């Protein structure tokens, strides 16, 4: 937690957005949001999927209209 907080503070003080990787569960998501990390990625956010599958719901809603 201290390492993530320090890296986040350094990055944001330099005007950068911060991204946390390997976010595996809701507890980690909660901690990183409290720290103020800008973006998160990992299995706790979503499982990897083919690009086409990421937008399947959008595509299907347009064809149904």
């Amino acid at each position: 937690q201290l390492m993530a907080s320090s890296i986040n503070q350094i990055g944001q003080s330099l005007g950068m957005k911060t991204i946390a990787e390997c976010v595996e569960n809701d507890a980690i998501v909660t901690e990183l949001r409290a720290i103020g990390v800008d973006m998160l990625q990992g299995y706790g956010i979503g499982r990897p999927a083919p690009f086409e599958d990421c937008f399947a719901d959008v595509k299907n809603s347009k064809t149904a209209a």
Side-chain angles (χ1 to χ4, degrees):
Q1 183 182 18
L2 184 57
M3 178 75 80
S5 179
S6 297
I7 292 169
N8 183 61
Q9 288 177 357
I10 292 168
Q12 291 189 349
S13 71
L14 295 170
M16 299 176 166
K17 298 279 186 185
T18 53
I19 304 170
E21 298 179 321
C22 302
V23 178
E24 300 298 322
N25 57 52
D26 291 339
I28 296 171
V29 169
T30 300
E31 289 295 323
L32 291 170
R33 285 186 175 155
I35 290 170
V37 175
D38 295 302
M39 293 172 261
L40 310 173
Q41 68 180 42
Y43 288 124
I45 303 300
R47 306 290 283 171
F51 183 78
E52 300 80 26
D53 294 352
C54 294
F55 299 101
D57 292 339
V58 175
K59 183 179 178 181
N60 291 338
S61 68
K62 286 183 180 180
T63 57

